[in-house]
């Protein structure tokens, strides 16, 4: 077979339909995990369908992204990616010009770049700067970000029977990033799911994987040319969109190297997600384009939220938290503003994570939390324990939701707008909420699910509240979560996980 040199036995799992009563709102019928028969199902349903009707539901809202994406075809994604490249080029050209003529510390913005994106020198508010300095005095210093190159443990690789997979695919960063995202989303068949993981590795070009693993480029090209995957619903569109995303990544890297030092919100966030292929496939399979692109846009702040401090120090220009007008208007990063921006982005993800969690790109977004923990880059728990003094200690009530164009105005400034989340999907806000208790009660015969919740939520919160750094405990939580997710996948508990 096309991928015959690699064992795929470990990902050929039997996934049974979940217990719908365990979930709020009893989600509509969810397609089989391996949906190779979807073509036949859809052909039957398409007969006699009226123009404009869709196989999957069209969700209310998401108006701005609907206008951006049009029909959601690859040509639309390419158009937006080209726009994002142009905006990025303006930024980096401005940095280069400014370095030739003046000090970055003396200039707030480049008037000659208007009405396009402008450059702003950012700094912490006096209060945050003072707090940070006090923390450093007592030794509370966040270590440098990790390389994200550690190999998955033998135990994890044994469970997934992945010991002989390509080296790039076996790092914790990749396996519990694009790898677990592909495994959560499913595919037409097992070989296509592996092929999708291979092609999604384009994401890691931004991490320099193509230099560290020289064979990655040829492997990626093989995945893009996979004849079986190209014949599956959305398979060709997925691979064409991956090429679009890869071009954006490589273009941005070239600009960063040249310049070495807030942008058109949705367009930039869309391309910055680096996972256009997932969205293109979902849209080609007839999922709601507006909802799909909303989810892809959300993945940018969903990643940037843990990088704010590092990106501020390293002059990263593409962080979606630091690019909002609330910050760029003054150049000051304050605690109050960061909370407002966080609340705005959280509201944009609320419906996705509570009502549409089972849709393809939403599944990828749900995996961002575990990826931050497991990827050997972000030291998630160290960040949490050092930052706990600044964290809110009470849950938001009522729980809120809103669309991107409602929480940000045309100048990318927070509006403060939100509406209560549908009561059917809102929980009581406890650390282990009523919805989780109900879910776990419905799956008492699967104790691994309870163990996963404990190691991803209960134990980390207990550790952070303790306030004492313990590297061994951090390692045990991280590796324990990897093992539990591998075990649950091997048991076919995909949606439940």
């Amino acid at each position: 077979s096309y991928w015959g040199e690699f064992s795929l036995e470990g990902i050929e799992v039997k996934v049974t339909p979940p217990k719908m009563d365990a979930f709020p709102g009893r989600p509509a019928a969810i397609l089989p995990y391996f949906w190779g028969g979807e073509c036949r199902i859809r052909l039957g349903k398409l007969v006699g369908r009226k123009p404009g009707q869709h196989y999957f539901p069209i969700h209310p809202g998401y108006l701005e992204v609907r206008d951006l994406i049009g029909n959601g075809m690859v040509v639309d994604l390419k158009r937006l990616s080209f726009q994002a490249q142009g905006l990025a080029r303006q930024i980096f050209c401005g940095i280069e010009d400014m370095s030739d003529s003046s000090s970055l510390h003396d200039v707030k913005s480049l008037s000659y770049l208007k009405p396009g994106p402008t450059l702003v020198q950012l700094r912490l508010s006096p209060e945050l700067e003072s707090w940070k300095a006090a923390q450093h005095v007592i030794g509370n210093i966040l270590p440098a970000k990790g390389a994200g190159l550690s190999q998955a443990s033998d135990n994890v690789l044994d469970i997934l029977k992945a010991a002989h997979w390509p080296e790039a695919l076996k790092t914790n960063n990749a396996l519990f990033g694009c790898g677990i995202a592909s495994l959560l989303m499913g595919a037409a068949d097992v070989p296509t799911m592996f092929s999708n993981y291979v092609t999604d590795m384009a994401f890691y070009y931004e991490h320099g994987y193509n230099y560290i693993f020289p064979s990655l480029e040829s492997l990626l090209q093989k995945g893009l040319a996979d004849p079986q995957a190209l014949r599956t619903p959305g398979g060709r569109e997925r691979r064409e969109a991956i090429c679009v995303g890869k071009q954006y990544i490589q273009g941005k890297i070239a600009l960063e190297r040249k310049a070495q030092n807030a942008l058109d919100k949705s367009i930039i966030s869309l391309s910055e997600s680096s996972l256009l292929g997932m969205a293109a496939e979902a849209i080609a399979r007839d999922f709601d384009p507006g909802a799909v692109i909303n989810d892809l846009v959300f993945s940018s702040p969903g990643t940037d939220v843990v990088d704010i401090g590092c990106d501020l120090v390293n002059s990263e220009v593409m962080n979606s938290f630091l690019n909002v007008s609330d910050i760029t208007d003054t150049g000051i990063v304050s605690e109050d503003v960061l909370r407002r921006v966080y609340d705005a982005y959280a509201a944009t993800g609320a419906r996705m994570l509570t009502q549409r969690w089972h849709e393809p790109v939403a599944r990828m977004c749900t995996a961002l939390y575990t990826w931050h923990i497991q990827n050997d880059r972000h030291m998630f728990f160290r960040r949490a324990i050092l930052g706990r003094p600044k964290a809110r200690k009470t849950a938001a009530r009522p729980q809120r939701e809103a669309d991107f164009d409602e929480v940000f105005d045309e100048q990318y400034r927070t509006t403060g707008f939100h509406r209560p989340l549908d009561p059917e999907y809102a929980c009581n806000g406890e650390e282990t909420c009523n919805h989780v208790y109900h879910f776990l009660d419905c799956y008492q015969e699967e104790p691994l699910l309870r163990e996963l919740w404990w190691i991803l939520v209960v134990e980390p919160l207990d550790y952070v509240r303790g306030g004492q750094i313990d590297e061994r405990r951090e390692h045990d939580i991280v590796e324990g979560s990897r093992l539990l997710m591998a075990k649950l996948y091997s048991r076919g508990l995909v949606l439940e996980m």
Side-chain angles (χ1 to χ4, degrees):
S1 66
Y2 195 73
W3 299 105
E5 59 191 299
F6 307 117
S7 172
L8 306 185
E9 181 184 354
I11 60 173
E12 191 170 357
V13 297
K14 182 179 180 181
V15 177
T16 55
K19 300 176 182 180
M20 294 304 179
D21 288 341
F23 304 99
R26 290 181 54 87
I30 299 171
L31 284 171
Y33 180 68
F34 292 118
W35 35 263
E38 183 182 315
C39 272
R40 294 186 297 274
I41 297 170
R42 289 180 60 194
L43 280 174
K45 299 230 178 186
L46 286 171
V47 174
R49 192 179 73 177
K50 296 178 181 178
Q53 285 185 326
H54 289 261
Y55 181 55
F56 295 112
I58 297 295
H59 302 284
Y62 309 127
L63 299 181
E64 182 175 74
V65 289
R66 289 191 199 285
D67 288 341
L68 282 175
I69 196 59
N71 293 323
M73 299 174 66
V74 173
V75 66
D76 296 308
L77 294 173
K78 186 178 294 186
R79 168 178 51 81
L80 292 174
S81 182
F82 284 163
Q83 289 182 39
Q85 288 178 53
L87 291 167
R89 194 174 298 113
Q90 286 188 57
I91 286 290
F92 285 104
C93 287
I95 294 173
E96 186 178 55
D97 291 344
M98 205 161 65
S99 66
D100 291 339
S101 60
S102 63
S103 167
L104 187 60
H105 295 277
D106 298 331
V107 180
K108 178 184 176 184
S109 65
L110 297 180
S111 59
Y112 55 81
L113 281 179
K114 292 180 180 180
T118 58
L119 295 174
V120 179
Q121 175 66 19
L122 301 181
R123 64 186 185 278
L124 292 177
S125 67
E127 294 80 11
L128 278 182
E129 191 63 62
S130 176
W131 178 80
K132 177 182 176 182
Q135 294 299 304
H136 283 189
V137 167
I138 61 177
N140 288 344
I141 301 172
L142 183 69
K145 186 188 287 191
L149 295 173
S150 68
Q151 292 284 294
S153 67
D154 290 342
N155 288 336
V156 166
L157 295 176
D158 286 346
I159 293 169
L160 298 176
K161 295 181 171 54
H164 300 294
W165 284 9
E167 292 301 307
L169 274 64
K170 293 191 297 182
T171 65
N172 286 308
N173 188 10
L175 186 58
F176 289 96
C178 286
I180 201 67
S182 291
L183 298 185
L184 289 175
M185 291 169 69
D189 49 62
V190 174
T192 297
M193 185 163 66
F194 180 78
S195 181
N196 289 345
Y197 176 25
V198 167
T199 56
D200 287 340
M201 289 297 294
F203 171 85
Y204 295 97
Y205 276 55
E206 193 158 7
H207 296 189
Y209 266 43
N210 49 317
Y211 299 107
I212 299 160
F213 304 102
S215 62
L216 180 57
E217 176 63 22
S218 60
L219 184 71
L220 176 64
Q221 293 303 321
K222 180 174 181 178
L224 293 173
D226 185 340
Q228 180 173 331
L230 286 167
R231 290 193 296 268
T232 64
R236 181 172 298 279
E237 290 85 350
R238 182 179 185 131
R239 282 153 181 77
E240 290 176 354
I242 284 169
C243 292
V244 173
K246 182 187 174 196
Q247 183 179 3
Y248 173 83
I249 294 169
Q250 292 179 316
K252 193 182 83 163
I253 290 171
L255 290 169
E256 288 173 339
R257 282 180 179 162
K258 186 176 180 182
Q260 291 299 331
N261 222 354
L263 307 159
D264 224 50
K265 41 184 179 175
S266 299
I267 296 175
I268 287 290
S269 293
L270 174 64
S271 295
E272 279 290 301
S273 75
S274 307
L275 294 169
L276 292 178
M278 294 180 180
E281 180 185 68
I283 294 171
R285 291 174 58 204
D286 212 29
F287 282 91
D288 178 3
V292 168
I293 298 304
N294 171 83
D295 300 350
L296 196 65
V297 168
F298 177 86
S299 71
S300 266
T303 301
D304 292 342
V305 65
V306 297
D307 280 331
I308 295 171
C310 295
D311 287 349
L312 187 61
V313 171
N314 296 322
S315 299
E316 166 64 50
V317 299
M318 301 296 188
N319 188 294
S320 54
F321 276 75
L322 300 177
N323 285 335
V324 297
S325 293
D326 305 61
I327 290 176
T328 59
D329 281 350
T330 64
I332 297 174
V333 181
S334 69
E335 188 173 346
D336 176 64
V337 169
L338 288 175
R339 290 188 191 281
R340 289 206 308 268
V341 178
Y342 178 90
D343 288 343
Y345 281 127
T348 67
R351 282 201 290 154
M352 171 189 70
L353 294 173
T354 61
Q355 301 175 27
R356 301 189 295 98
W357 54 269
H358 49 84
E359 294 183 1
V361 182
R363 298 190 197 189
M364 178 271 288
C365 288
T366 62
L368 290 174
Y369 172 67
T370 53
W371 179 62
H372 291 318
I373 291 172
Q374 298 162 344
N375 65 13
D376 188 39
R377 278 174 55 84
H378 290 110
M379 288 174 289
F380 187 82
F381 296 132
R382 187 68 55 87
R383 292 171 187 265
I385 199 169
L386 294 179
R388 175 164 170 75
K390 290 295 183 182
R392 284 181 290 204
K393 307 303 188 290
T394 57
R397 288 192 174 90
Q399 291 163 342
R400 297 166 282 197
E401 62 92 359
D403 289 349
F404 195 99
D405 58 323
E406 294 175 319
V407 298
F408 294 108
D409 64 18
E410 292 182 357
Q411 283 71 49
Y412 204 5
R413 184 178 292 105
T414 57
T415 64
F417 178 86
H418 57 79
R419 65 178 68 85
L421 185 64
D422 185 333
E424 188 172 14
Y425 299 96
C427 68
N428 63 10
E430 300 298 324
E431 288 179 358
T432 300
C433 73
N434 54 319
H435 288 179
V436 174
Y437 277 121
H438 173 71
F439 172 83
L440 294 176
D441 284 345
C442 290
Y443 280 96
Q444 293 186 41
E445 75 281 7
E446 296 291 353
L448 288 181
L449 290 170
R450 191 176 297 272
E451 290 180 33
L452 183 66
W453 179 261
W454 181 85
I455 207 163
L456 287 178
V457 179
V458 179
E459 172 66 358
L461 286 172
D462 182 67
Y463 169 62
V464 169
R465 276 192 293 262
Q468 296 296 316
I469 294 173
D470 185 336
E471 290 188 19
R472 169 50 56 182
R473 191 173 178 187
E474 289 180 10
H475 172 273
D476 290 347
I477 297 173
V478 171
E479 182 60 19
S481 69
R482 293 171 183 148
L483 282 166
L484 277 169
M485 289 181 70
K487 289 177 182 178
L488 284 163
Y489 179 79
S490 70
R491 293 176 58 84
L493 295 168
V494 176
L495 286 171
E496 294 84 352
M497 177 166 52

